[in-house]
Amino acid sequence: MNKKFILLIAFLIALLAVLVLRRAWMSDDAYITLRVIDNFRNGYGLTWNIAERVQVYTHPLWMMLEVLVISITNDYYLIPIFLGFGFTLLAVTWIFAKLAQSSQAAVLAGLALCLSNAFVDYATSGLENPLSHVLIGVFFTIFLTAPSFHRHIGRLSLVAALGMLTRIDLGLVFLPALLIAFFQVRSWKALIRLLAGMIPLLIWEGFSLVYYGSLLPNTAYAKLYGGYPTIEYLQRGLNYYEYSLKFDPVTILIIFTGLILPLFIRGGRIKMLSASSLAYLGYILWIGGDFMGGRFFTIPFYLGIIALLQIKQEFLKFRYTAVGVSLLMIMGLILTPEPVYTLGSLSMSGRKSEFYKGIADERQFYFPGTSLMNYRRDIPYPSYPWMDEGRKDRRGSRTVIVNATGGMRCFAGGPRIHYVDHLGITDPFLARLPAVKKDNWRVGHLERAIPAGYLESISTGRNLLQDPHLAQSYDRIKLITQGDLFDPERMKVIVQQTFGLTP
């Protein structure tokens, strides 16, 4: 690359950094993990309600990083934001330095990054997206540049394991490339290296099974096993695609580019970018997307950026680059209802976020009270109504509070209060009950009816459920989440639950 292009790319990365900081915010879901971290730091273990062991977070590695840094700084607001910001810059500069094949492609990729609402918004938020991007970037750098896989399959496997510790569903991104790498060097030594790389993931799953009594986080049961037919999940998955096409077309354009472009570039390895993206896009459709607009699309978007960077100089003439820049500018600045340089409302009373078929612009919804731009040290921050409710809970006398969903209120309420989440996201018993059937149900918000006697059972510590079948199920869940870790009966019940052997 010549110096002019290097300066232009540096400018685009600097512009991206400014956009990310100006739109930096914290999501309510981030405080679900932060409540667990707060309990852990206060000696209550990795718990949501201190009376029971439940994995309410989906990103163990991200959680561990937050524990490490928050334990040093004791800051629960700035640390998640700046961790996300730092990992985002690392994810971007890494692939530009390691994978860019031409200056023109790098300029297009840099511009696309700056114009993607999803990528910029979830560069902060307190969620694990930035760490996911870094690990995907490192993985495909090894995969695309390694002269052979004999010595590198262990590294690929290790990075994939760390990725799956960040989000277990990222395994779909790594699996196609891992399979190709293994079958190209089929040997016992390669298999041993591949399995050795997976040790961190296996250790975590072993810990999760013993400590939590489950291989999957509780959120999987709460969000995916509510009893709705697959066709309804698929319909909401299509709505999720429609949302981004309408409100964030640059993200969809780059995702589509990442699917198609590798098919026209020589080399079998690069085609795994298409396979990985297709696998993850299929997964998004299958689970019904998400209630956070664009959040899941940052993964295939980032894969699309990597694919775009693979275009060599001789194939990307100046006129094609100019067309690409023009198209991105039109889609990002004119066709997008809220371009990435805007901030949304800055006052709670002026909040303008609305649902689109059950999907919300989460950043716009929470930005007024959680944005870095509005941050002040002289007041309790985030300055959000749900945080205020939690602070009021902490000062009150109630020890069991019902229908308190989300993270902010419960984080602010502190460990003394047992919060009962009617969505089941943080409740292991309710998560395993069928959802209340509604025509307009939202993904990730499947409401459960609270059975008669359940609240009394929590308050008294005795099983007072009136339905005998539910009472039996509650006893089993209580043994798993509250019993002695190495109680033989508990271990027996865990095995039965895990392998579907429940009587």
Side-chain angles (χ1 to χ4, degrees):
M1 295 187 189
N2 60 49
K3 289 184 179 180
K4 289 183 179 179
F5 272 110
I6 291 175
L7 288 175
L8 180 56
I9 294 163
F11 168 77
L12 289 172
I13 294 176
L15 176 61
L16 175 67
V18 171
L19 290 170
V20 168
L21 287 177
R22 283 176 60 83
R23 288 169 74 100
W25 64 295
M26 282 287 284
S27 71
D28 183 62
D29 274 32
Y31 282 91
I32 295 177
T33 303
L34 291 176
R35 175 174 162 92
V36 174
I37 292 172
D38 192 50
N39 283 345
F40 177 76
R41 295 187 63 220
N42 284 289
Y44 299 115
L46 294 171
T47 60
W48 168 262
N49 290 315
I50 61 175
E52 55 190 9
R53 300 176 295 270
V54 186
Q55 187 186 339
V56 299
Y57 50 91
T58 58
H59 41 226
L61 184 58
W62 178 251
M63 183 271 297
M64 293 176 202
L65 288 172
E66 287 188 311
V67 167
L68 179 64
V69 184
I70 289 173
S71 295
I72 297 171
T73 63
N74 200 35
D75 189 300
Y76 287 86
Y77 171 76
L78 292 175
I79 290 306
I81 285 180
F82 283 106
L83 273 178
F85 175 71
F87 278 116
T88 294
L89 291 188
L90 177 59
V92 171
T93 54
W94 177 276
I95 58 174
F96 274 70
K98 301 290 186 177
L99 294 176
Q101 298 295 312
S102 66
S103 303
Q104 292 92 327
V107 168
L108 288 175
L111 184 60
L113 287 163
C114 291
L115 294 175
S116 167
N117 272 311
F119 189 83
V120 172
D121 284 355
Y122 289 97
T124 53
S125 85
L127 299 174
E128 76 289 334
N129 296 57
L131 180 58
S132 300
H133 301 150
V134 168
L135 293 169
I136 290 171
V138 172
F139 179 88
F140 279 101
T141 297
I142 298 171
F143 181 77
L144 294 173
T145 61
S148 75
F149 294 128
H150 288 87
R151 294 185 178 180
H152 292 87
I153 193 165
R155 295 179 186 177
L156 287 172
S157 179
L158 176 60
V159 177
L162 295 177
M164 293 173 71
L165 278 175
T166 304
R167 273 194 72 92
I168 193 67
D169 51 28
L170 289 184
L172 293 168
V173 173
F174 304 118
L175 182 60
L178 267 182
L179 289 176
I180 288 296
F182 176 72
F183 281 107
Q184 284 191 9
V185 295
R186 283 175 304 220
S187 68
W188 285 108
K189 185 179 290 186
L191 180 60
I192 291 171
R193 288 176 175 171
L194 189 149
L195 293 175
M198 287 289 161
I199 286 176
L201 178 63
L202 296 175
I203 290 174
W204 170 260
E205 289 298 335
F207 167 80
S208 179
L209 191 62
V210 173
Y211 187 75
Y212 291 119
S214 174
L215 293 172
L216 296 175
N218 193 65
T219 51
Y221 299 99
K223 295 182 178 183
L224 301 179
Y225 297 98
Y228 285 100
T230 301
I231 188 66
E232 294 195 32
Y233 277 97
L234 294 175
Q235 179 59 58
R236 279 153 181 76
L238 291 174
N239 293 343
Y240 197 66
Y241 280 79
E242 182 183 337
Y243 175 93
S244 285
L245 186 61
K246 181 179 177 66
F247 295 102
D248 193 11
V250 168
T251 296
I252 295 297
L253 173 66
I254 298 301
I255 289 173
F256 180 76
T257 300
L259 280 174
I260 302 302
L261 187 61
L263 303 180
F264 295 92
I265 299 178
R266 282 189 175 183
R269 292 188 189 183
I270 199 170
K271 291 173 175 53
M272 290 303 101
L273 288 168
S274 294
S276 294
S277 185
L278 186 62
Y280 204 76
L281 289 168
Y283 166 75
I284 292 173
L285 182 65
W286 182 259
I287 65 172
D290 191 34
F291 65 93
M292 301 186 195
R295 178 195 172 188
F296 282 176
F297 282 138
T298 69
I299 301 301
F301 172 82
Y302 187 69
L303 290 169
I305 292 293
I306 294 175
L308 187 59
L309 289 173
Q310 301 309 297
I311 305 178
K312 296 185 183 297
Q313 188 100 10
E314 57 266 28
F315 297 110
L316 197 58
K317 305 301 182 183
F318 177 79
R319 60 180 178 274
Y320 299 140
T321 306
V323 170
V325 169
S326 301
L327 182 61
L328 286 170
M329 294 290 284
I330 291 170
M331 296 184 76
L333 302 179
I334 298 175
L335 299 182
T336 302
E338 187 193 15
V340 76
Y341 61 83
T342 63
L343 297 175
S345 172
L346 294 181
S347 65
M348 291 300 298
S349 60
R351 189 171 60 201
K352 62 181 182 180
S353 179
E354 297 177 355
F355 291 145
Y356 180 83
K357 298 185 178 181
I359 305 162
D361 182 337
E362 290 282 294
R363 182 203 60 83
Q364 191 180 79
F365 190 84
Y366 291 107
F367 188 83
T370 72
S371 71
L372 187 62
M373 286 190 65
N374 289 343
Y375 174 68
R376 291 173 54 185
R377 285 187 174 272
D378 60 332
I379 61 171
Y381 204 80
S383 178
Y384 202 83
W386 295 344
M387 293 288 285
D388 296 336
E389 289 178 12
R391 296 178 186 115
K392 189 181 298 183
D393 292 341
R394 186 186 284 261
R395 296 191 297 268
S397 59
R398 291 185 297 173
T399 57
V400 177
I401 296 179
V402 186
N403 292 353
T405 59
M408 289 188 193
R409 178 180 179 179
C410 305
F411 170 80
R416 178 180 62 86
I417 301 172
H418 187 111
Y419 285 102
V420 180
D421 175 13
H422 69 294
L423 302 181
I425 293 171
T426 61
D427 191 300
F429 175 68
L430 296 180
R432 287 159 175 81
L433 298 183
V436 177
K437 292 297 187 291
K438 293 184 175 182
D439 291 335
N440 59 341
W441 62 278
R442 291 182 70 202
V443 171
H445 291 72
L446 307 186
E447 296 182 20
R448 270 75 174 185
I450 297 179
Y454 182 53
L455 298 181
E456 292 80 359
S457 299
I458 293 173
S459 298
T460 64
R462 295 183 293 116
N463 189 341
L464 299 176
L465 283 158
Q466 296 178 15
D467 185 305
H469 296 291
L470 292 181
Q472 183 182 34
S473 176
Y474 178 69
D475 279 336
R476 298 171 68 83
I477 295 296
K478 186 176 179 181
L479 178 61
I480 292 173
T481 61
Q482 300 182 37
D484 293 337
L485 280 179
F486 300 106
D487 180 349
E489 184 62 25
R490 177 178 181 267
M491 291 299 178
K492 176 183 174 182
V493 173
I494 288 174
V495 171
Q496 290 174 341
Q497 295 277 103
T498 302
F499 296 102
L501 304 175
T502 305

